[in-house]
Amino acid sequence: MGIIITIGREFGSGGRELGTRIAEKLGIAYYDREILEEISKKTSLAEEYVTQVIERKPTIHYPITIANSFGIYDNDLNKTQNKIFAEQNNVIRDLATKSDCVIVGRCADYILRDYNPFRIFVYADMESKIKRCREKREIDKDLSDRQMKRYIKRIDKHRRDYYEFYTGLSWGKKENYDICINTSGKKIKDVVDEIVKIFQK
Amino acid sequence: MGIIITIGREFGSGGRELGTRIAEKLGIAYYDREILEEISKKTSLAEEYVTQVIERKPTIHYPITIANSFGIYDNDLNKTQNKIFAEQNNVIRDLATKSDCVIVGRCADYILRDYNPFRIFVYADMESKIKRCREKREIDKDLSDRQMKRYIKRIDKHRRDYYEFYTGLSWGKKENYDICINTSGKKIKDVVDEIVKIFQK
């Protein structure tokens, strides 16, 4: 098994950009959108629907590992969610065994745990996240700071719920990652340069 | 202002070794023991006594910023503790402005906050910390795993109390650092190589 890097990230922290920069520097694959496309193909569900289900928190709050053993998943939406998560497992494992890669989000750190991935978590303070979202136009630019903050918090809540539901682990807790990187007040390019400089040979 | 790197660390996580390796790689100063020597000189207190006071938690639990404004520090031990902390502030600032450096522990990240240091926190799971302590003989080798665990926890509790007392911040909370590095199951040399590899140009 070669290099597998997984990146968990707070919305607006620049995790995606960090992922693409690392993949570029190392000359290895970067997977994000491709995963959804593959799941869509394999489940015959529309890609948009797959995205929506993945980014939406599951409706029942027991971690899946507990819920499965009590057989309490009987409604159709939960069945679809679990089918998509199972397919996501397969797709991510396939991609990771095919070649060296960087995978952003999607519980990849947990799904690939037997392959010993290098697990990164990227975070920042709220001010920096709002600034980055405005610069990158990731959110409607007409929103006030207060509205943006609410939007960012909502997305991160979904990520947290989704991650914790499917893994039983705490999202963003430093003990679950190999390194955690704070991008507050920094450009992603500079973060990469800064860390290179510190650990240079 | 050049490069200032501060390292906070859990006991047994290898933070000290990481600090010396980084300083060596970058060819810059590494400060640890020297700080205690300087404080000892400036306060005319024995170095051993300084060490003991610094590594021992303060007796009153209000953060110093609050306590000062109520004037509730009137006993001699607390006066000495605060004198030592004040002197530590001066010594660390002097060293940091003199040349590029790595400083391990001693609230240096907080003391130097106006100089924009690069703040690292190093941590590991308990199993790895016990293993590292045995290998490095940092603790009496005849202790059982259970005794070692208790000892490690006690030291970290002191570090936490000391840090939180003097800074008002949470020790080890990822938001207070630029990067957090997990050394569980790894050799420090490999951690450095691993991170270099990931961020190499």
Side-chain angles (χ1 to χ4, degrees), chain A residues 107-121:
Chain A
C107 308
D109 53 331
Y110 177 79
I111 292 170
L112 297 173
R113 65 197 178 284
D114 297 336
Y115 302 151
N116 198 24
F118 191 85
R119 301 155 304 165
I120 300 177
F121 189 83

Side-chain angles (χ1 to χ4, degrees), chain B residues 105-178:
Chain B
R106 306 175 206 293
C107 307
D109 53 331
Y110 177 79
I111 292 169
L112 298 173
R113 64 196 180 284
D114 297 336
Y115 303 151
N116 198 26
F118 190 85
R119 302 156 302 166
I120 300 177
F121 189 82
V122 186
Y123 59 104
D125 59 30
M126 185 52 77
E127 194 190 332
S128 304
K129 291 190 283 196
I130 291 175
K131 194 163 169 272
R132 183 168 284 117
C133 285
R134 285 203 190 281
E135 282 169 7
K136 302 279 173 193
R137 301 176 185 229
E138 293 197 38
I139 303 183
D140 178 359
K141 66 177 172 40
D142 293 331
L143 293 185
S144 68
D145 276 7
R146 208 174 140 196
Q147 287 170 315
M148 276 218 177
K149 184 176 165 182
R150 206 159 36 191
Y151 185 87
I152 291 170
K153 280 191 159 181
R154 204 168 62 222
I155 294 186
D156 276 352
K157 185 173 182 326
H158 285 192
R159 288 184 180 175
R160 178 184 302 279
D161 288 345
Y162 181 79
Y163 184 86
E164 297 186 354
F165 180 83
Y166 282 111
T167 70
L169 298 173
S170 295
W171 182 76
K173 194 180 167 201
K174 70 181 190 300
E175 283 69 17
N176 299 327
Y177 305 91
D178 294 293

